Structure formats: C-alpha cells, structure tokens
Amino acid sequence: MTAAPSSTAARERDESVAERRAYESVIERLSKASVDKHWEPYVDIPWDDPDFLIDPADPRWELPPVDKLGRHPWYRSRSPETRARIGLWRVATAMKIGLQFENLLKRGLLNYAYRLPNGSPEFRYVYHETIEEGHHGMMFQEFVNRTKLPIRGMPGPLSILAQVAPWIPLISTELFFVFVLGGEDPIDHVQRKVLKDGYKHHPLEEAIMRIHIAEEARHISFARHYLRRRVPRMPRYRRLALGVISPVILGLMARIMLAPPGPMIRAFKIPPQVVKEVYTGSEEFRAELRDSVGKTRDLCSELGLVNPVTRRIWKAMGIWAEPRA
C-alpha cells in the first residue's frame, strides 16, 4: 500500500504527477486511435464510381431544409438546376475554406512540434494530426476540382491576414489551440447537423463529411485536453489576455466558416434583401453562430476565461450564451 503524503507539498506533487499521467494517457490513446482507425482519401473514397460523380444539376446538391436559404421563397422559386448549382457552390466553398484553414493549422502544428523536447508524447500525436489534416486538404481540394466551379475560398484580404496564424504557437500555444477550436468546432457542428437532418445527400459529400467528423473528433479532443492542462498554469495576466482575445478569434472564425460566400451571391444575383433575411439580419443565423462555438465557449467558462469584462466581448461578437450544464 502506498503511504499517504506527509505534507501539503507532497500531496500537491502527487496530484500533479497523477494529473500529468492522466493527460499523457489521453494523448497516447489518441495516437493509438490515429493508427487503428484512419482513412486515405484516394483509397477509401471511390471518386470514379458512377454513383460518386459530380453532376452540377443533381437534385441532391439542393440546399437542405436545415439551411435557411434552402427554405427561402427566392431560392425555392429558382429552377431545379439553379438550386442544385447554388447548393454545390455552397458545399465546395465550405470545403475550400476548410482546406485553407487546415493549411494554416498544419503549419502552426509543425511550428509547435519544432520546439517540443525529446520524449514528448505531444510530438507523436501532433504529427498524426498533421498527416490527417494533409489527407483532409487533398480530399477537399479533389472535391473542389471535380465541381469545375470557380471556387475561391477565403476573401483575398482575409487570406493574407490569416498567414499570421501559423506563427501564433511561437507566441502562445494556448491561443493557437483556441484558434484551432475556432475553426474546427463550427465545421464539426454544421456537418453533424447536416448528417442528422434526414435529407438525401450526395454520397460523395456524405463520405467526405463522415471521414472528416471521425478524425476531427480526435483533433478537437487533443486541443481541449491541452487547454485544460495549460490554461490553469498560465500567469494571471496571460490568462486575462487569452480571455480577451478568445471571443474575438472565435467570433471571426465562426463567421468565416458559416457566412455565405460573396462570389456565390454575385454569381447567382442573390438579392441583398434575401441575404439580409437569411444571414446578416437573421436571428436564426445569429443563433447558429452562437451554437457553433458553444462547446468552446463552455470550455472557456470552465477554465475561468470568462469574467464580467470578457463577457462583454463575447456579447459584442454575437456569440454569447449562458454556459450549459
């Protein structure tokens, strides 16, 4: 039987060791899961199967009822071919933005891994995640290529500004993993919602979403465990800075991931009033923004990053809701 610690300091040391072991055990399980269950985009997706070919007029590309634009009278009054093409453009843009985000993410992960010491369990997992994100990028780009649509992804100025993201780990790894959740949680939220909507989706889109959700679950888990371990150990002033910056990053990322692509609006001449009713002036869209970052918002509250000052920033960014139990 292990003797009880003889002092408060000894108890704290034992608790710290136990906590570290539990954290490393989680990382080791995630690494093992990446070996046991992973996908190769050019092996596991039958791109050239006749059922998986992309026809822009295929009615399965039409926006599902879960999308407010898909329910709007303006959209419903378009021809079936136009409705399908708008839906395909929407899906392809989401994938293009996704691969651009994951490009930034991979570079940031490698910058983080560069400084990890020998024997660090994080090193192996970060490389597993980087490889999986590389596969996601190839998968998304292959889809975009096969649509033959002029998909751009992020707006030019935003894309230039985003080049700062891979360097965030050199300043604050905690801030970088908030950025990671800011990109991954909204996409995961939307894709899970789409797969549960009972709508008949194109099998290629569904296959890509299922692969992405399964592997992103590990990536999200790592980021959350990392923040739970690191944030409580940060100096008070750095925690305050992280609490101020986090809602800004999360609010911007949610809008990038969920807002309608400008080129699509212009290509199909979607009236400004429709855009306002569906997105910019819609309470339903604002609720979707709040819901898409809900898990990360709850995590920030759990970690003590939300206080009367930072709560105002969450509200100003339009993503505040009371933490869920």
Side-chain angles (χ1 to χ4, degrees), residues 13-73:
R13 278 197 303 274
D14 287 352
E15 289 170 2
S16 178
V17 169
E19 184 181 327
R20 175 69 188 178
R21 286 175 178 166
Y23 169 72
E24 290 181 352
S25 177
V26 168
I27 297 175
E28 288 165 3
R29 287 201 302 272
L30 291 173
S31 292
K32 185 176 186 300
S34 290
V35 174
D36 293 343
K37 192 66 174 176
H38 62 274
W39 288 265
E40 296 278 351
Y42 292 103
V43 173
D44 298 309
I45 298 177
W47 297 98
D48 296 320
D49 185 307
D51 291 338
F52 278 62
L53 297 182
I54 295 176
D55 175 4
D58 190 323
R60 290 175 295 184
W61 294 122
E62 288 193 28
L63 293 172
V66 72
D67 189 305
K68 192 176 180 185
L69 179 60
R71 305 194 305 270
H72 196 279

Side-chain angles (χ1 to χ4, degrees), residues 1-306:
M1 181 180 294
T2 304
S6 59
S7 68
T8 299
R11 283 197 300 273
E12 290 176 349
R13 278 197 303 274
D14 287 352
E15 289 170 2
S16 178
V17 169
E19 184 181 327
R20 175 69 188 178
R21 286 175 178 166
Y23 169 72
E24 290 181 352
S25 177
V26 168
I27 297 175
E28 288 165 3
R29 287 201 302 272
L30 291 173
S31 292
K32 185 176 186 300
S34 290
V35 174
D36 293 343
K37 192 66 174 176
H38 62 274
W39 288 265
E40 296 278 351
Y42 292 103
V43 173
D44 298 309
I45 298 177
W47 297 98
D48 296 320
D49 185 307
D51 291 338
F52 278 62
L53 297 182
I54 295 176
D55 175 4
D58 190 323
R60 290 175 295 184
W61 294 122
E62 288 193 28
L63 293 172
V66 72
D67 189 305
K68 192 176 180 185
L69 179 60
R71 305 194 305 270
H72 196 279
W74 178 88
Y75 179 78
R76 300 312 309 168
S77 68
R78 304 302 96 182
S79 68
E81 294 78 11
T82 299
R83 293 200 301 268
R85 196 171 178 84
I86 290 174
L88 179 58
W89 194 303
R90 190 90 166 93
V91 172
T93 298
M95 292 197 187
K96 185 69 176 183
I97 291 175
L99 76 88
Q100 290 171 331
F101 166 76
E102 291 182 343
N103 180 289
L104 302 170
L105 171 58
K106 290 192 290 286
R107 287 185 276 158
L109 287 172
L110 292 174
N111 276 334
Y112 163 63
Y114 187 87
R115 298 187 297 168
L116 288 174
N118 295 339
S120 168
E122 291 94 343
F123 181 91
R124 175 184 167 186
Y125 179 73
V126 164
Y127 267 75
H128 279 307
E129 181 170 338
T130 303
I131 291 165
E132 289 167 359
E133 297 291 18
H135 287 163
H136 297 172
M138 289 189 288
M139 180 170 69
F140 290 163
Q141 187 63 60
E142 184 67 26
F143 180 91
V144 172
N145 292 346
R146 287 170 181 257
T147 68
K148 296 182 171 58
L149 295 174
I151 303 299
R152 285 176 48 196
M154 291 186 192
L158 180 61
S159 184
I160 293 171
L161 181 63
Q163 301 310 310
V164 174
W167 303 103
I168 295 177
L170 305 182
I171 303 168
S172 169
T173 53
E174 297 84 5
L175 179 59
F176 175 70
F177 282 106
V178 169
F179 165 78
V180 169
L181 291 175
E184 292 184 338
D185 261 343
I187 293 177
D188 185 72
H189 169 81
V190 170
Q191 290 184 334
R192 289 177 184 274
K193 191 173 179 180
V194 168
L195 288 179
K196 292 177 181 177
D197 66 7
Y199 193 72
K200 186 176 179 60
H201 297 282
H202 193 283
L204 178 57
E205 178 192 10
E206 188 167 319
I208 289 173
M209 284 195 294
R210 290 191 184 283
I211 290 172
H212 190 248
I213 287 171
E215 294 189 329
E216 288 297 330
R218 294 195 288 262
H219 307 170
I220 291 171
S221 178
F222 175 76
R224 293 173 66 85
H225 279 91
Y226 183 88
L227 290 171
R228 280 199 176 99
R229 176 164 177 78
R230 289 292 295 263
V231 171
R233 292 169 169 77
M234 296 173 70
R236 186 174 178 180
Y237 75 93
R238 290 189 62 202
R239 283 203 309 274
L240 177 60
L242 184 63
V244 168
I245 298 172
S246 292
V248 176
I249 288 179
L250 294 170
L252 291 174
M253 294 298 295
R255 284 170 170 79
I256 291 169
M257 299 299 176
L258 303 182
M264 183 187 83
I265 293 171
R266 292 188 290 273
F268 295 99
K269 297 181 174 58
I270 302 177
Q273 184 59 33
V274 173
V275 175
K276 181 178 179 181
E277 290 173 6
V278 174
Y279 299 109
T280 56
S282 166
E283 176 54 37
E284 185 175 333
F285 181 68
R286 288 192 287 268
E288 184 79 354
L289 284 176
R290 292 193 296 269
D291 291 347
S292 73
V293 299
K295 292 179 181 178
T296 306
R297 183 179 58 242
D298 291 347
L299 177 64
C300 288
S301 295
E302 173 192 330
L303 296 175
L305 297 177
V306 178

